[in-house]
Amino acid sequence: MKLPFILTVPDKRPLEELHGITTLLVPLRGHTPAPGIKKRVAVAANTLLAVHPDMSLGEIHAPCHGVIKDITTRHIEITCSETPPEGSQPVAPVDLSGLDEQALCSALKELGVSVRPFTRPCKTFVINGLNPEPGMVYAEEVLSSHKEILEAALALVKRLSPATEYVLALPAGSHSSLDGVRNHFVKPEYPISLARPLIKSLTGKESSADITMVRLHDLFGLGLVASSGLPRTRTVLSVQGRNFLVPVGTPVQTLLDAALVSVKPGDTVVLGGAMRGQALSVLRRGIDKDSEALLHIPAKSKPPLEDNPCINCGACIYACPMRLRPNMLSRYAEFEQYEGCTKEYLNRCIECGLCGYVCPACRPMQQYFRNAKKALGIETLQRRLPL
Amino acid sequence: MPQTDITSLKPLFVVETPPYIHNGVTIHGMMRDTLLALAPAMILALMAHGVAAFRVMALAAGVSVLVEAMCVRIAGQKLRIEDGTALISGLLLAFMLPVQAPWWLVTVGAALSMILGKHVFGGLGANPLCTPLVGWACLSISWPKYMNPSAMVLNTDFLDPLLRLKFFGTQSISPETYKALLMGEQLGGLGSVYIGALLLGGIFLVARRAVRWEIPVAYLLTVYALGFLLWHIDPARYIAPELYLLTGSTVFAAFFLATDHPSSPFSIWGIALFGVLAGAMTVLIRAYGTHLDGAPFAILLANLFTPLLDMIRPVPWGGRK
């Protein structure tokens, strides 16, 4: 059971960049196109594309020069070009120094950064330096070879966060460090990389009060903005054990081609990790700012999910890091007895996926939990809590 | 980089909820492992009794599968014969029947197991009692004469050790015969007498994670400890503790009946208490009860405590609220 959950890789895997990308599908998350952004409009790299009224969601910018080919509710499609097309306005870097906290927040939002995790009230600010899930391998590389980007981000975080103490969670044996940040070593075994188990290992207490945890991925994204003054248009992600630093909106198909993965009908393509990611139905989809991994799961490499009844074996109870009873939870959810889910502490579930990993009946545990959470309105609550 | 027209590719993908990896232990795999674990005892039974043993096992398994298919159809459920749970239930029942059991006894037992032991409660995963034991209990209460191996199996030199221990004194089995008992040279259920083979199969089952190790360990330890206690009090009145394990269906019950997932508790304390309860019942029934073999009824009684034991739950992360 331990083997697939080791969160470190022994070798270094550099961030590769892709060249010659022809099309970008920049995803929108409820954003509306910015004024002047229409089909067939030429845009320079870093031009503002879409805005969102929510202060906690960053705006969206063009990751490359090009012409807008299509705008849907889900994405803006850009045909890329090497040089700025005619009629486009170049974008100058923003100077972030000397801004007060309020001004910095809005400047960062305008640069495409979701600032909420960095401004949350807390005493201890934890940087999760572990690869969050099996299938992600970027943490070691980012920590060792791109330290200056992280430290640029950290300088901004120290202006934003009320925290008095900064902690970097690292796999045991790691030699990475950041200036002014205390190291905390953990055994790198999933699910320690998730917020609640990590906070427990740090404080010894089962409460996330006064603690904020951000993923290394988010800190790196902030660092890209902080070090250049340009909008957040690139992201780092692991594709089948290789790391890429690519523009936001890079189509999944392009990344799979770059990683030399050929996908056959019946396979599963997962955006995100093997335990918590999202299976894609089409490859014509751009990666988002928070995409951390892209995985190809060949057909028949795992038993398919079925609507089997729970056989009460108790394997999930042993696996659950939150000490819940996923067997009872999933049964209540299956038969829509949602008040039972509340009694079984559904709100503590962090959707780590371990119950589904061990379930011999191959029940769609996460699906049951998500249905119940949606019915109970827990989903919106949890988005605000550090999971 | 090759230029790909991303609009032209339209393969169909499997879209599931996470996780996208699995540890490989499935119901189907568990049942296959159980079949493998039963195989040594099955082979020994076939070697000893030949076609008579085959007849009982095949009939019980066949009737179980047929009755399951029928019940599933009546209940309008999804047919899951291929997962092997019905086949295993039938085989487990056959292991407890005498080898010369008449065909109607086997048929009625297997059918009752499936109907009363499983499908009236909702099928797979819903049985409150160990499925094959329900059929066994019906048979041994309704037709005790046909279920008695001493009466049914005539062409044998073996004696029923349970009968001997009960009526011929606690010293009637000497330690020199322990090896023979382990090898199954005794009278009893068709398969449950092959203590050594079943022990081997049980260890395989635990190693393959098809059953939880806590149940057999708690159960067998309790049987031995309580047996030892009684024997220590009065060796003339109570049998030696190892005889509880070497005779009757104690080992068979420990690994194959008590570990039935739906009818056993799921929390660690629940499981430990379940094992202790079943173990204590086994010894008490054998020492004081009218039934010769304590294990099956002990497991059935312990099964009744499962809902109660399942109320023991771990404290969730962050404490109860």
Side-chain angles (χ1 to χ4, degrees):
Chain A
M1 166 158 179
K2 304 274 187 218
L3 192 64
F5 296 132
I6 305 293
L7 294 169
T8 51
V9 280
D11 53 328
K12 288 184 59 168
R13 302 182 180 183
L15 303 186
E16 300 170 43
E17 294 198 31
L18 287 185
H19 299 286
I21 297 171
T22 53
T23 303
L24 289 183
L25 300 160
V26 183
L28 302 177
R29 282 186 292 182
H31 293 71
T32 46
I37 297 299
K38 288 182 298 231
K39 273 192 199 178
R40 289 184 293 282
V41 164
V43 288
N46 302 319
T47 306
L48 182 68
L49 284 183
V51 293
H52 199 285
D54 188 346
M55 264 312 283
S56 64
L57 267 177
E59 320 291 30
I60 289 170
H61 302 78
C64 64
H65 305 302
V67 177
I68 294 173
K69 193 179 169 199
D70 194 14
I71 301 177
T72 70
T73 51
R74 302 182 67 177
H75 61 247
I76 295 178
E77 185 175 347
I78 301 174
T79 308
C80 303
S81 58
E82 288 290 322
T83 51
E86 260 181 66
S88 63
Q89 299 288 321
V91 178
V94 178
D95 184 13
L96 293 169
S97 62
L99 297 172
D100 68 359
E101 200 188 317
Q102 204 65 40
L104 186 58
C105 279
S106 31
L108 285 173
K109 173 182 161 61
E110 279 159 29
L111 287 169
V113 177
S114 304
V115 282
R116 180 175 277 159
F118 306 109
T119 56
R120 236 183 251 133
C122 66
K123 286 185 186 140
T124 309
F125 189 93
V126 184
I127 300 154
N128 186 349
L130 296 144
N131 287 308
E133 278 179 64
M136 299 174 184
V137 291
Y138 61 79
E140 292 90 348
E141 176 62 19
V142 166
L143 275 166
S144 61
S145 307
H146 299 271
K147 207 171 149 181
E148 70 293 342
I149 292 179
L150 294 177
E151 281 177 345
L154 205 59
L156 278 190
V157 170
K158 285 182 176 168
R159 287 163 64 189
L160 288 169
S161 175
T164 50
E165 192 195 15
Y166 290 82
V167 179
L168 173 65
L170 288 169
S174 168
H175 299 296
S176 306
S177 66
L178 291 172
D179 264 356
V181 179
R182 179 166 70 87
N183 283 353
H184 171 69
F185 295 102
V186 293
K187 196 175 167 204
E189 204 172 83
Y190 189 79
I192 193 72
S193 51
L194 303 183
R196 284 178 181 175
L198 188 61
I199 288 170
K200 167 82 190 286
S201 89
L202 186 66
T203 63
K205 277 184 259 164
E206 297 190 339
S207 155
S208 47
D210 296 333
I211 293 190
T212 283
M213 196 207 81
V214 296
R215 299 174 304 168
L216 194 66
H217 196 266
D218 291 335
L219 195 74
F220 186 72
L222 179 67
L224 289 172
V225 173
S227 56
S228 66
L230 290 169
R232 170 92 199 269
T233 54
R234 286 185 300 166
T235 192
V236 57
L237 87 166
S238 307
V239 185
Q240 291 293 95
R242 285 166 69 180
N243 291 320
F244 289 90
L245 182 62
V246 287
V248 169
T250 305
V252 166
Q253 178 72 66
T254 308
L255 275 166
L256 289 174
D257 287 345
L260 307 174
V261 176
S262 72
V263 184
K264 293 177 193 66
D267 294 358
T268 302
V269 177
V270 180
L271 192 57
M275 298 304 280
R276 317 209 307 163
Q278 180 196 358
L280 300 179
S281 56
V282 287
L283 300 183
R284 195 186 139 72
R285 173 170 171 156
I287 57 151
D288 209 344
K289 284 174 191 168
D290 56 6
S291 303
E292 292 173 272
L294 185 63
L295 297 177
H296 168 238
I297 314 277
K300 291 181 181 150
S301 61
K302 93 180 236 303
L305 294 178
E306 284 180 78
D307 61 341
N308 279 330
C310 174
I311 60 160
N312 213 37
C313 67
C316 50
I317 297 174
Y318 276 64
C320 183
M322 294 288 107
R323 299 192 303 273
L324 304 176
R325 302 201 291 184
N327 59 338
M328 296 309 290
L329 266 176
S330 68
R331 277 191 267 196
Y332 282 129
E334 184 180 3
F335 298 106
E336 297 178 9
Q337 297 184 355
Y338 297 127
E339 66 284 4
C341 292
T342 313
K343 270 187 237 152
E344 291 286 338
Y345 308 94
L346 180 65
N347 58 348
R348 312 278 169 93
C349 170
I350 54 173
E351 293 185 22
C352 64
L354 285 170
C355 47
Y357 176 76
V358 298
C359 182
C362 302
R363 284 159 64 77
M365 306 293 267
Q366 303 269 53
Q367 200 167 339
Y368 289 136
F369 300 156
R370 284 177 187 175
N371 283 349
K373 280 181 178 174
K374 197 163 185 195
L376 291 167
I378 294 173
E379 209 173 29
T380 48
L381 180 78
Q382 276 197 339
R383 209 175 288 157
R384 267 181 261 133
L385 295 168
L387 261 179
Chain B
M1 213 207 93
Q3 299 256 322
T4 315
D5 181 14
I6 53 175
T7 51
S8 67
L9 291 168
K10 273 190 184 165
L12 277 173
F13 299 127
V14 173
V15 177
E16 289 185 332
T17 45
Y20 305 100
I21 47 177
H22 194 271
N23 70 352
V25 178
T26 60
I27 299 179
H28 187 83
M30 281 177 172
M31 291 306 138
R32 191 193 51 222
D33 288 344
T34 312
L35 197 63
L36 280 175
L38 290 173
M42 255 156 79
I43 291 166
L44 286 179
L46 288 174
M47 276 162 57
H49 306 289
V51 76
F54 177 77
R55 182 189 66 104
V56 175
M57 289 193 284
L59 190 60
V63 170
S64 289
V65 170
L66 277 179
V67 172
E68 164 137 314
M70 212 169 68
C71 289
V72 162
R73 169 154 286 198
I74 292 168
Q77 288 176 334
K78 196 174 127 191
L79 195 64
R80 293 194 186 85
I81 294 296
E82 71 281 358
D83 69 16
T85 47
L87 181 85
I88 294 294
S89 285
L91 272 179
L92 291 180
L93 175 71
F95 264 46
M96 291 181 286
L97 297 177
V99 71
Q100 304 289 353
W103 67 270
W104 57 265
L105 191 80
V106 181
T107 308
V108 169
L112 284 178
S113 284
M114 276 296 135
I115 297 167
L116 292 182
K118 188 172 179 185
H119 284 283
V120 287
F121 297 103
L124 178 63
N127 48 310
L129 302 168
C130 179
T131 304
L133 278 180
V134 174
W136 177 89
C138 292
L139 296 185
S140 54
I141 289 168
S142 310
W143 296 283
K145 204 175 78 189
Y146 288 100
M147 290 294 281
N148 183 352
S150 310
M152 290 307 294
V153 188
L154 298 172
N155 54 344
T156 176
D157 302 327
F158 300 142
L159 264 173
D160 185 352
L162 295 170
L163 213 63
R164 264 172 93 144
L165 290 168
K166 197 85 182 173
F167 301 112
F168 295 81
T170 54
Q171 312 300 328
S172 58
I173 292 179
S174 64
E176 289 84 66
T177 57
Y178 284 0
K179 196 170 165 242
L181 288 175
L182 202 65
M183 291 309 295
E185 292 174 15
Q186 54 174 315
L187 207 51
L190 179 157
S192 64
V193 292
Y194 302 101
I195 313 287
L198 289 169
L199 196 64
L200 219 64
I203 291 166
F204 167 76
L205 216 51
V206 168
R208 292 283 297 166
R209 280 184 289 149
V211 301
R212 300 270 288 270
W213 64 269
E214 293 93 338
I215 296 179
V217 167
Y219 176 73
L220 293 176
L221 275 181
T222 309
V223 168
Y224 191 84
L226 196 61
F228 183 81
L229 197 72
L230 288 179
W231 175 77
H232 200 68
I233 291 167
D234 187 356
R237 207 174 140 209
Y238 302 106
I239 60 172
E242 54 273 19
L243 282 173
Y244 290 107
L245 308 177
L246 286 171
T247 61
S249 53
T250 311
V251 168
F252 176 65
F255 287 102
F256 296 93
L257 302 176
T259 54
D260 177 48
H261 290 302
S263 58
S264 62
F266 43 69
S267 72
I268 176 75
W269 282 106
I271 280 182
L273 282 172
F274 176 83
V276 169
L277 208 67
M281 291 287 191
T282 305
V283 174
L284 292 179
I285 291 173
R286 281 187 62 169
Y288 303 107
T290 50
H291 294 282
L292 293 177
D293 189 5
F297 279 117
I299 304 286
L300 275 176
L301 282 169
N303 282 163
L304 295 176
F305 282 89
T306 295
L308 203 64
L309 295 172
D310 273 344
M311 289 169 81
I312 303 170
R313 61 152 303 148
V315 180
W317 198 90
R320 289 201 174 98
K321 226 180 267 162

